[in-house]
Structures are given as C-alpha cells and as structure tokens.
Amino acid sequence: MRLEELDPFAQENIDLAGKKLLIFIVAYNAEGTIEKVLKRIPPTLRTSDVEVLIIDDSSSDKTFARGIGYQRRNANFKITVLRTPENQGYGGNQKLGYRYAIDNGFDIVALIHGDGKYAPERLPALLKPLIEEKTDAVLGSRMIDRRGALRAGMPLGKWIGNQIFTAFENAVLGTQLSDFHCGYRVYSTRALAQIPFEKNTNDSHFDTEIVIQFLLKKLRVIEQAIPLFYGDGIRYRDAVTYAWNIFKTTIRARLCKLYLFYDCRYDVEGMAEVYNLKTGFASSHTAAIGAAEPGSKILDVGCGQGRVGRELVKKGCRVTGLDRHVPINSGGESNMDFIRWDLDRTEFPVNVSQFDQIFLLDIIEHLKDPAHFMDELRFATGCKRPEIVLTTANIGFFATRLMLSLGQFNYGKKGILDVTHTRLFTFRSIRELLIQSGYKILELRGIPAPFPLALGDNRLARFLLGLNSLLIHLSKGLFGYQIFVRAEARPTVNNLLNETILGSTVLKAEVHSAAA
C-alpha cells in the first residue's frame, strides 16, 4: 500500500477550541518520506495554534535537510526542525519532544512517525476527545477490527505476536486495551507532566512503559481506530528483544503495584499515610482483633485512622489511640479516644500501666530505636504485666529473599520494604529484641501475604492465601509475610525489687501477727 492511498480522513475538520497543539514527528533516516508526511497534515491544523516539531535522531541520510527545505517553502506553517547531537533511540527522541511540549506551554502533543507509518489525516479524530477534555490520552489502535488488520496487510507473525502480548499485558495489568503497541498517540501535556516519562527506556518499549504509567496514575486512556500501512518487516532478533523487554516491563510494573518490587518509573502516586483495614481474611489485623480481650482497656500505639480501634470497640473494648496524626472527626467516638503523639518521643502521654493490652501493629519497624522504645514501654507499665500485641514485616519472606538473590533490594511505598521502615526484622531478631527487653513471649506465628487486598477478593486470591497459610506451617520464617507476636511485659528490675520489698514487708507483718 502506498502512502498516498492512506487518505480516508483528509476532509475531516477540527476546531482546537483555543488549545495549543504540538504535532511531534519522530524521524530517523526518513529523507524519502518526511516531506510526504508533512504534506498530509490536514489543512485545518495549519493554524497559529499549531506547531510541527521534527526531531531528526542523528539520521545518516538527509532527513534534517529535507525537513529544513519543507520549512523554507512553507513559511506560513510553523515548523521547527531539530537534530539530536547523537542518536537517542525511539524512546529518547520522544522524551525530548514531550519535554519541548511541556516547556513551551502546549496543551496537547500528537506523536506521529516520519516514515509515514501512521496517517496524519487521522489526527482530527484522535484530537477530538482531548479537545473536549474527555480523556488524557488517545491511543491509536490497529486491532479494534482484528480481522481488518490482516486484510489491511499486517503480517501474520506480527498480528499473532501483537495479540499474544496485548492479551498478556491486559491479564497482568487488569486492562482491556486492544493494541498496546501502536505508536500513534495523542497526549495531554498536563497529564504528561504528572508522570516520570524521562526515566523510561530510550528503546522501542518506551510506548509500553508510558501507557503503564498513565494507567498506574489512573489517568484516562481511550483508543481510536487508525488506518494501517506496513513497510519493511522487523528483524527476528529485534522482535525477540522487543518481546523480552515487554515481558519484563509488564511483570515489573505488576510487582510494583503489588508492592513486592520498587521501580521509580512506576512511582506515580504520593506516599499514603492511610492504610487499608485487612479484615475478612487471615491477616495481621484479624489476628490482632482476635487477640483482644472483650471489655479490656487497650492502648493502640500508632493507631493511624483508627480503623482497627473501631473494630476493637465493637468487642466492648475501651481504646485509646496514639498517633502523630489525629483522625479527622475523631471527637465523640464511643469508647475511643485519640491523642496526638510522636512515637519517637521518650515519654508517654498517658499512664501506660492502666491498660490491659498494648497494640503495636506495624509500628516497631518505623521507630528510630525499637529496643529503647520497648525498654521505655516496659518501664512505663510499672509492676503491671499488660499483654503486648505486636505485628511487623518479615524481611525473611521468600519473595524478598528471591529478589535479594537476583541482586534486587529496592525500597518502595508499601509492603515489607516500605521506604518509611527504619528497622527490618526476622522471626529470630524480633524474638531476641523482645526477650532482651524483658518481655515473655506468649505466641509467635506467621501471617500470610494479603492476597485479597492486592488481587481482589476472588478465587485466585483465596487459593494463594490458603497455600501461603499451609506453607507457613512448614516454615514460618520463609513463608510468613508478617510476624505476629503476643508477649507479656515483665516488671523492670527496679519495679520488681520494689515489689519484692513491699511484698516482703506485708509477709513479715503477717508472720509477726501470727506469732503473737
């Protein structure tokens, strides 16, 4: 199919509604096609609100000169032609264009290729949803009509590969796109500015990485059908490399979403102070709630938004929550009080000895000096022996060990390697810390990973939860995602000495009384 035959949309008009548009053409060795691509940009887009940016990626032919020549012959059409000092690659070229669009105040940037692979005539249809602000990105799709793609000349091998990898990406990422791999895109620059696209690869799978970033950021993405044109086929070696990169990129993004891995490219959301309540399945929260004695007085240290505390209140407990951020609308809670307090301070804002149980749920790993904190907590309990209910992440979890064996030790926003964690524990190290700090271990067990929270409450999540629970019985140190501890705070030596002296005095009086 010749380039000139791809003209089914040439008569379509468009009103930019005052928005500034950058038509960005990535070009490499395109001297034979670049002028034809420029000629086919619809007349309705040759206005003062539109600029065409051509970035020649250090071509070995006359692409740059041909672009300059067309620019001189069409002075009424704003065209900027640039050439990179050295080859940046397909993804690296895009980074330059998107940065140019953001820095120069464009509202929309449309990506087309200098080889004529994607029809410029289709631009008005792709632009319309963005002009109407119905989406943040429009992806061209060759696969909305799958059989039509074959009829239009897509090579069978490419067609099959596209179907397999798009299905794989949809399954892993939970999406329903028809074509992940089309390079014809239109983006809102406001949306581009919200994602770290400059950290992406310079290679051809840049297109996949940027789509994933949009999806993780929960930006709006839609697809539009585009006409097809195919030139020379991709080499087998390049196809295999591309396929492997797509596979790695997709799996890595999914692991990041599950907080089992960290990659700065997919860190598109801010740090969350709010953590979800994990109930309805085996978790650290259900274990802690189950350990609460009905009617007891509980000190919930690091209570967060008070979600666990409210579940404890339902059991008839009287709860006092301590945290540096007091929950909004915390006043008037029945049987529940909130006190603002920094956990790294040395003195407690309440009389700790009045409580029957003290909850430390996913807190100890955030402290600057956990051993000192546990010493101070024990001292504050006086001669009382309150029960400590403690949970923390297990750094010995098999997934973390596997990543470490592969040379990966990445902190993230949640999970075992939460970036806010200052100390990491195994079952042995948390046991030793508590014993050395003067606590008697009553129970020490493993908690499975919160699969229903990560994957949704479905059959797969429940199966993995059950499997994880079974494996914990074989080795809690290897398969426990979290550590659950019940311990008793023993009196300090000073308190025990005073208790001994006082008790002995009472006993002496009884002995003297009996002798008399």
Side-chain angles (χ1 to χ4, degrees):
M1 185 181 293
R2 296 197 311 268
L3 291 176
E4 289 79 9
E5 293 176 334
L6 285 174
D7 201 25
F9 305 100
Q11 303 304 315
E12 191 167 351
N13 295 324
I14 188 72
D15 180 3
L16 293 176
K19 296 187 182 298
K20 290 182 62 179
L21 167 66
L22 179 69
I23 301 175
F24 170 37
I25 303 176
V26 292
Y28 180 70
N29 289 346
E31 67 171 320
T33 55
I34 188 66
E35 292 188 50
K36 295 177 182 178
V37 170
L38 291 167
K39 290 177 182 177
R40 293 168 56 207
I41 294 174
T44 53
L45 293 178
R46 297 169 182 259
T47 68
S48 59
D49 291 329
V50 179
E51 178 180 342
V52 174
L53 171 66
I54 303 169
I55 299 185
D56 170 23
D57 197 15
S58 294
S59 298
S60 58
D61 63 5
K62 298 180 180 179
T63 299
F64 183 73
R66 293 293 176 90
I68 293 293
Y70 188 90
Q71 178 192 47
R72 289 174 178 171
R73 296 191 301 272
N74 295 269
N76 60 331
F77 189 15
K78 188 174 183 180
I79 301 174
T80 300
V81 186
L82 305 176
R83 176 183 169 88
T84 59
E86 59 184 41
N87 186 268
Q88 300 298 308
Y90 175 64
N93 201 341
Q94 286 193 60
K95 295 175 188 179
L96 298 176
Y98 299 149
R99 175 49 54 192
Y100 183 95
I102 294 170
D103 290 348
N104 288 278
F106 288 93
D107 300 296
I108 302 170
V109 55
L111 171 69
I112 58 179
H113 291 196
D115 59 3
K117 188 176 184 179
Y118 301 117
E121 297 87 356
R122 187 58 173 160
L123 273 174
L126 296 177
L127 288 167
K128 186 176 180 181
L130 276 164
I131 293 169
E132 296 175 351
E133 299 185 354
K134 294 180 178 179
T135 187
D136 299 299
V138 179
L139 310 182
S141 173
R142 303 155 294 182
M143 294 295 182
I144 290 178
D145 179 6
R146 296 181 182 180
R147 294 189 179 276
L150 284 174
R151 290 193 299 268
M154 177 179 277
L156 181 60
K158 187 179 182 71
W159 186 87
I160 293 173
N162 186 294
Q163 295 299 294
I164 291 173
F165 273 95
T166 294
F168 168 74
E169 288 162 304
N170 281 329
V172 173
L173 300 172
T175 53
Q176 295 180 329
L177 296 177
S178 65
D179 187 358
F180 257 91
H181 308 284
C182 178
Y184 200 175
R185 278 104 184 275
V186 183
Y187 298 115
S188 157
T189 52
R190 178 192 57 80
L192 283 172
Q194 297 179 53
I195 60 171
F197 65 85
E198 293 180 3
K199 297 182 182 293
N200 291 355
T201 180
N202 284 351
D203 295 332
S204 56
H205 58 291
F206 176 95
D207 285 343
T208 297
E209 291 182 348
I210 198 169
V211 171
I212 291 174
Q213 288 170 330
F214 266 69
L215 296 172
L216 293 178
K217 186 64 178 177
K218 295 182 174 56
L219 295 168
R220 299 166 297 173
V221 177
I222 65 172
E223 294 182 297
Q224 289 271 14
I226 61 168
L228 306 176
F229 167 76
Y230 290 96
D232 296 333
I234 188 172
R235 293 180 298 172
Y236 172 77
R237 182 177 178 181
D238 292 338
V240 171
T241 301
Y242 177 75
W244 173 241
N245 286 331
I246 293 299
F247 174 80
K248 288 193 302 180
T249 293
T250 307
I251 293 297
R252 182 180 290 240
R254 181 57 179 169
L255 290 175
C256 289
K257 191 174 181 180
L258 295 175
Y259 303 108
L260 295 176
F261 189 80
Y262 179 77
D263 190 320
C264 61
R265 287 172 293 185
Y266 307 123
D267 187 1
V268 296
E269 297 175 333
M271 290 297 297
E273 291 283 350
V274 178
Y275 291 85
N276 295 321
L277 183 65
K278 296 175 287 189
T279 55
F281 58 92
S283 70
S284 58
H285 288 167
T286 54
I289 294 168
E293 295 292 337
S296 62
K297 294 186 67 177
I298 296 177
L299 179 64
D300 188 2
V301 180
C303 64
Q305 297 297 306
R307 290 187 169 92
V308 171
R310 292 183 179 91
E311 296 299 315
L312 299 176
V313 167
K314 293 177 183 178
K315 296 186 68 172
C317 302
R318 174 74 190 184
V319 180
T320 298
L322 303 181
D323 209 312
R324 59 178 178 170
H325 299 301
V326 175
I328 299 175
N329 300 324
S330 59
E333 297 274 357
S334 176
N335 284 335
M336 193 167 185
D337 299 316
F338 292 97
I339 300 175
R340 188 188 303 277
W341 184 62
D342 185 346
L343 273 62
D344 284 311
R345 295 180 62 181
T346 55
E347 72 283 352
F348 289 89
V350 292
N351 181 6
V352 176
S353 65
Q354 67 180 304
F355 295 96
D356 304 305
Q357 292 179 295
I358 300 172
F359 278 40
L360 301 168
L361 307 185
D362 299 328
I363 288 301
I364 196 167
E365 63 268 27
H366 294 271
L367 302 177
K368 295 178 181 178
D369 190 345
H372 179 70
F373 178 88
M374 296 307 298
D375 286 340
E376 291 297 317
L377 179 64
R378 178 185 169 214
F379 179 80
T381 61
C383 292
K384 300 294 180 67
R385 291 171 172 80
E387 181 177 282
I388 307 298
V389 178
L390 180 151
T391 62
T392 189
N394 173 30
I395 188 61
F397 187 55
F398 81 95
T400 310
R401 297 191 192 202
L402 176 61
M403 290 298 181
L404 187 59
S405 70
L406 297 174
Q408 297 288 342
F409 193 82
N410 300 89
Y411 283 89
K413 295 190 299 182
K414 283 187 179 180
I416 295 173
L417 294 178
D418 188 319
V419 71
T420 63
H421 292 176
T422 59
R423 290 287 298 272
L424 301 169
F425 297 94
T426 63
F427 279 82
R428 178 176 295 179
S429 63
I430 192 66
R431 179 186 179 89
E432 290 178 352
L433 183 147
L434 291 173
I435 291 175
Q436 291 173 8
S437 295
Y439 295 83
K440 177 183 178 181
I441 304 296
L442 304 176
E443 182 182 3
L444 180 67
R445 60 186 170 98
I447 300 293
F451 291 105
L453 193 64
L455 305 177
D457 196 356
N458 50 46
R459 290 184 179 179
L460 175 61
R462 291 287 173 173
F463 169 77
L464 293 174
L465 190 69
L467 178 61
N468 196 172
S469 299
L470 180 63
L471 292 172
I472 286 173
H473 289 292
L474 299 178
S475 174
K476 62 178 180 288
L478 184 59
F479 297 108
Y481 179 77
Q482 285 181 287
I483 303 168
F484 175 82
V485 186
R486 287 174 52 245
E488 182 181 88
R490 300 175 184 268
T492 65
V493 172
N494 285 339
N495 285 332
L496 187 57
L497 178 59
N498 292 332
E499 186 178 343
T500 300
I501 293 172
L502 180 62
S504 297
T505 301
V506 173
L507 287 174
K508 286 180 181 179
E510 292 177 354
V511 170
H512 290 312
S513 176

